[in-house]
Amino acid sequence: MPENQQKLIHTFGALAELGHEVSQKNDFQELIRTSLHLLLGALGIMRGGVARYSRFGHELNMLAVRGLGDEFPLSLTICSEDERQFLTNGTVPIEIAQAKVLPFFQIYDRSFAAKKLELLVPLVIRDEIVGVVLLGEKANGEPYSSYDRDIICAMTRHIGVGIAQRNLMAELERRADENRRLYDDLRMTYKDTVKAFATAIDCKDKYTEGHSVRVGKYSEIIAAELGWDDEQVEGAAVAGYLHDVGKLTVESSIINSPHRINAKETAALNKHPVIGYEILLPIHHPYADVPLAAKYHHERLDGRGYPDELCDRDIPYIAKIVCLADSFDAMTTDRPYKRRRPAHEVIEDLQYNAGRQFAPELVTAFCRAMLKEITQETKEKKFRRLLGREYLEAEGIVSLLKNALNVMNGTSSLTLVNLD
Amino acid sequence: MDTEYKIPVQTSGETATVYASDYLNKLSGEKIERECRRQIDAGYKTIVVNFGETEIVNSIGVSILLGVIDAASGAGAKVVFSDVNEDTIELFEMLGLTNHVRVN
């Protein structure tokens, strides 16, 4: 085979392989090492290295080296003058011996001479330096020909593209991380705001201090027990925290009345779901249905709730969750006119009202979560913190919960309503 | 698997023979260079790279062999290429590897 033809086949084989590597390789370090092998092997170059440029540190950091030894600097500093010259030069190889006027070559002259480095190729992609390739002498001892330089130009452009792609990916990852952090910050801010709101709502009612926060937590427990994902569980908690926001507009004398309120006062109080809805509707919540939970948390499956006397399937699911959480908290906390009810009574009430006031599958989920905690099937102590240890350890509660679960097992609210 | 592949080596007197195989043409061929360096460090004065099982040598293979040559010349050892086919000899001559090694 004529020498020229063999040379062409060998170098173009290397060029093709390099193009394939740049487009296929996921491991950046492997890509650079392979690229350097291909370049050196294509032209029989004894030694060389590939460095990536860091704009911030004005440094060239060696990514791969061949035959440069341990003493060769792994990081080379360049100044603005060098940078300008490299940019002007583009990807054309620079003869190191003839570029000593530049500060960069003066500083590293010894290192370059010791390793017989002959060419420096700036890797310029879209008018930006992304790195350089350093090349030593050829194994045949001949100077670099114009053919060699053309091949070097083509191959180093591929390496430059590989580095630029990596830089772009790193930048995208950095921005994605930054966005994720900003999003997390926003979520935290939102959660804190919601909790502050819940506290403000609860401050208005001295007898039910902490009610909104507890309803938020019970709603969270139910959603988690239903197997909802983290975001949905958080949404359920928020709906619980804000369900009574409409009470902010109800007169304190009504809310804080130490005795049962009259019909007129009840009518005023019963407006709070709609007012709450109107307050929450214009706010852009990260979770759907928060305003609907406020509006419909006093609806009942049997249609005897308010404000719209909706029946089961017309009540938003989130409102059913908050309704159960709200009622449970009302039964298990002291009110001005009523002491809290014992645990067995509350469980019997939940069971009795499953399908009437509450969605049965939600009562099931709630009782199951409570049973898991009492029997220590889970390490969670949410109910214990909300209700107190003694309340949960009331005699017979485990069998009561198990019985309730057996009775309600597999019943959905829709089934019950259809049967009615 | 690449990571478990052991480079075949035979030693005799001051000579170590390393069998290149087709591994030479991939990044994993760096193992061959490392093995040659190990033999040089162990004191062998002649490193024979055997190409009996190597059909072709690509650019990665050439680069790895240049690494072997560089390591040997730094340690005052000789490199011999053996069982090389005609096409590969032509390639080595064209790229100047034969300036640094003896080909058997």
Side-chain angles (χ1 to χ4, degrees):
Chain A
M1 192 187 295
E3 190 175 303
N4 274 350
Q5 196 180 332
Q6 194 179 18
K7 202 171 187 175
L8 273 175
I9 291 170
H10 179 70
T11 46
F12 278 95
L15 190 56
E17 207 167 326
L18 182 55
H20 178 75
E21 291 288 330
V22 170
S23 61
Q24 297 292 320
K25 266 250 166 40
N26 290 323
D27 186 318
F28 180 64
Q29 288 298 330
E30 271 193 17
L31 165 68
I32 296 301
R33 267 164 60 210
T34 308
S35 303
L36 183 60
H37 275 305
L38 287 169
L39 176 56
L40 300 183
L43 297 172
I45 301 167
M46 291 300 294
R47 64 200 85 245
V50 178
R52 175 153 75 169
Y53 180 54
S54 160
R55 261 185 303 163
F56 306 105
H58 294 278
E59 279 171 351
L60 290 164
N61 299 308
M62 301 307 293
L63 296 173
V65 290
R66 296 277 302 155
L68 296 185
D70 295 338
E71 285 166 21
F72 194 83
L74 291 176
S75 182
L76 313 167
T77 309
I78 66 171
C79 68
S80 315
E81 194 185 337
D82 304 314
E83 207 178 301
R84 268 196 304 279
Q85 188 55 50
F86 289 173
L87 275 173
T88 313
N89 192 82
T91 50
V92 179
I94 298 171
E95 293 269 0
I96 290 176
Q98 286 165 25
K100 287 187 178 158
V101 62
L102 285 173
F104 176 73
F105 295 102
Q106 288 165 13
I107 296 169
Y108 299 107
D109 181 41
R110 261 202 201 161
S111 303
F112 292 168
K115 290 295 163 190
K116 296 181 189 165
L117 291 178
E118 295 185 9
L119 296 180
L120 179 143
V121 193
L123 304 176
V124 179
I125 302 292
R126 291 186 181 169
D127 297 326
E128 269 190 41
I129 302 170
V130 296
V132 300
V133 170
L134 293 161
L135 297 172
E137 84 276 24
K138 287 171 65 182
N140 60 16
E142 291 171 10
Y144 284 96
S145 65
S146 61
Y147 170 82
D148 293 337
R149 286 163 197 269
D150 287 346
I151 293 295
I152 290 169
C153 240
M155 293 187 82
T156 52
R157 198 165 287 135
H158 275 84
I159 299 173
V161 168
I163 296 177
Q165 273 176 355
R166 172 67 185 183
N167 290 349
L168 195 65
M169 284 306 292
E171 179 64 14
L172 283 174
E173 278 166 18
R174 193 186 63 77
R175 288 191 185 183
D177 271 354
E178 201 175 297
N179 275 346
R180 214 170 295 128
R181 273 200 300 276
L182 280 171
Y183 178 69
D184 287 346
D185 285 352
L186 273 175
R187 274 174 69 138
M188 286 304 291
T189 308
Y190 176 81
K191 272 176 82 174
D192 289 347
T193 310
V194 165
K195 280 185 183 170
F197 245 94
T199 309
I201 299 160
D202 292 344
C203 277
K204 183 133 192 188
D205 186 346
K206 66 179 178 184
Y207 294 113
T208 59
E209 196 183 347
H211 169 68
S212 299
V213 173
R214 287 192 300 274
V215 172
K217 292 194 186 301
Y218 289 132
S219 301
E220 187 180 304
I221 290 169
I222 299 166
E225 188 59 33
L226 289 172
W228 288 11
D229 66 34
D230 290 350
E231 199 163 309
Q232 290 172 315
V233 170
E234 209 171 296
V238 169
Y241 286 136
L242 297 177
H243 77 287
D244 266 348
V245 70
K247 278 189 179 171
L248 286 171
T249 63
V250 179
E251 275 182 40
S252 291
S253 60
I254 297 175
I255 292 173
N256 291 315
S257 174
H259 46 74
R260 282 199 181 275
I261 52 177
N262 63 32
K264 195 179 161 195
E265 289 168 331
T266 302
L269 181 63
N270 287 358
K271 282 180 184 164
H272 81 270
V274 174
I275 295 167
Y277 174 74
E278 284 164 2
I279 291 171
L280 294 172
L281 193 62
I283 301 169
H284 180 75
H285 300 275
Y287 317 105
D289 300 344
V290 171
L292 291 175
K295 187 172 181 179
Y296 296 120
H297 72 276
H298 282 297
E299 295 290 358
R300 298 168 52 101
L301 259 62
D302 56 15
R304 289 169 53 215
Y306 64 93
D308 292 341
E309 297 176 357
L310 298 179
C311 284
D312 182 12
R313 68 178 66 207
D314 299 322
I315 305 169
Y317 207 67
I318 188 71
K320 290 177 181 174
I321 291 176
V322 174
C323 170
L324 174 59
D326 184 35
S327 303
F328 181 79
D329 187 60
M331 290 188 272
T332 53
T333 48
D334 291 336
R335 296 285 157 130
Y337 43 85
K338 201 161 69 177
R339 298 282 299 166
R340 78 168 171 176
R341 295 163 66 185
H344 72 271
E345 251 187 66
V346 174
I347 292 161
E348 282 164 2
D349 189 293
L350 294 181
Q351 192 184 338
Y352 175 78
N353 280 306
R356 292 180 171 84
Q357 183 180 358
F358 310 123
E361 71 271 25
L362 297 184
V363 177
T364 302
F366 196 59
C367 290
R368 198 169 52 226
M370 199 185 301
L371 184 65
K372 277 184 192 170
E373 193 177 312
I374 296 169
T375 57
Q376 294 181 341
E377 196 183 322
T378 169
K379 286 179 180 168
E380 302 274 12
K381 289 181 177 170
K382 290 178 180 173
F383 281 103
R384 189 164 295 195
R385 283 196 199 100
L386 291 161
L387 294 163
R389 192 166 58 92
E390 284 168 14
Y391 191 83
L392 275 185
E393 286 174 359
E395 208 182 317
I397 193 163
V398 171
S399 55
L400 209 56
L401 280 168
K402 282 182 180 171
N403 181 53
L405 284 168
N406 279 335
V407 172
M408 292 183 297
N409 191 23
T411 321
S412 83
S413 56
L414 287 174
T415 317
L416 282 186
V417 166
N418 284 340
L419 285 172
D420 285 344
Chain B
M1 274 178 14
D2 281 359
T3 46
E4 288 166 6
Y5 182 77
K6 206 168 174 338
I7 306 296
V9 182
Q10 272 185 353
T11 56
S12 167
E14 290 195 323
T15 302
T17 304
V18 177
Y19 293 82
S21 76
D22 281 335
Y23 264 79
L24 187 64
N25 295 321
K26 293 177 269 187
L27 196 56
S28 51
E30 286 179 347
K31 272 186 175 181
I32 294 166
E33 184 181 337
R34 279 197 292 276
E35 188 55 45
C36 290
R37 285 178 187 272
R38 215 165 63 84
Q39 300 302 332
I40 292 165
D41 290 344
Y44 289 98
K45 293 292 172 198
T46 303
I47 302 297
V48 178
V49 182
N50 184 287
F51 291 87
E53 299 286 311
T54 314
E55 224 172 291
I56 54 160
V57 176
N58 70 3
S59 294
I60 296 177
V62 170
S63 172
I64 287 165
L65 293 171
L66 288 169
V68 175
I69 292 168
D70 196 44
S73 93
K78 281 190 301 184
V79 180
V80 176
F81 289 168
S82 72
D83 286 345
V84 194
N85 65 40
E86 280 303 311
D87 286 345
T88 306
I89 291 176
E90 276 180 35
L91 178 73
F92 289 165
E93 282 172 353
M94 182 184 79
L95 295 171
L97 272 72
T98 45
N99 294 1
H100 305 271
V101 301
R102 205 180 74 218
V103 180
N104 280 350

